[in-house]
Amino acid sequence: KFNNKKYRLVVRFTNKKVICQIMYATIRGDMIVAQATSSELTNFGVPVGHKNYAAAYCTGLLIARRVLKKFGLDETFKGKEELDGEDYHV
């Protein structure tokens, strides 16, 4: 029961940013696998607006890519290579 890793996405909204974490619980406490904040979006071309739902969505995508890379699944789930406005289904 306690050694089974059940990963959770935790999203926290502060007064200035959005914090997303992937974690799992153990007897010793919560272990964080990866973390991303919306203030990191300035490195990807989003200079302002780090507190809204769009920033939360982008931060979720950022942490998803980090976790996939950490577990070695980033080549399996590449996502949309070319942006053309069409629906994308995995």
Side-chain angles (χ1 to χ4, degrees):
K1 180 177 178 180
F2 291 106
N3 288 330
N4 190 7
K5 293 181 182 177
K6 184 178 180 184
Y7 295 104
R8 294 176 175 88
L9 172 65
V10 177
V11 181
R12 295 185 175 98
F13 285 90
T14 66
N15 288 335
K16 294 184 179 180
K17 61 185 175 181
V18 178
I19 302 170
C20 294
Q21 295 174 328
I22 303 285
M23 61 176 54
Y24 62 92
T26 62
I27 294 175
R28 294 185 299 146
D30 293 341
M31 299 294 170
I32 296 175
V33 177
Q35 176 182 351
T37 62
S38 61
S39 59
E40 298 174 32
L41 296 176
T42 55
N43 301 335
F44 298 99
V46 183
V48 294
H50 297 155
K51 180 67 173 97
N52 53 21
Y53 286 117
Y57 182 82
C58 292
T59 308
L61 287 177
L62 179 61
I63 195 169
R65 295 310 303 174
R66 284 186 183 168
V67 170
L68 285 175
K69 187 169 188 172
K70 186 170 189 174
F71 290 150
L73 296 171
D74 54 343
E75 294 297 322
T76 306
F77 300 102
K78 289 189 179 186
K80 188 114 176 168
E81 299 277 336
E82 180 180 321
L83 300 176
D84 56 4
E86 297 293 324
D87 287 340
Y88 177 73
H89 302 286
V90 177

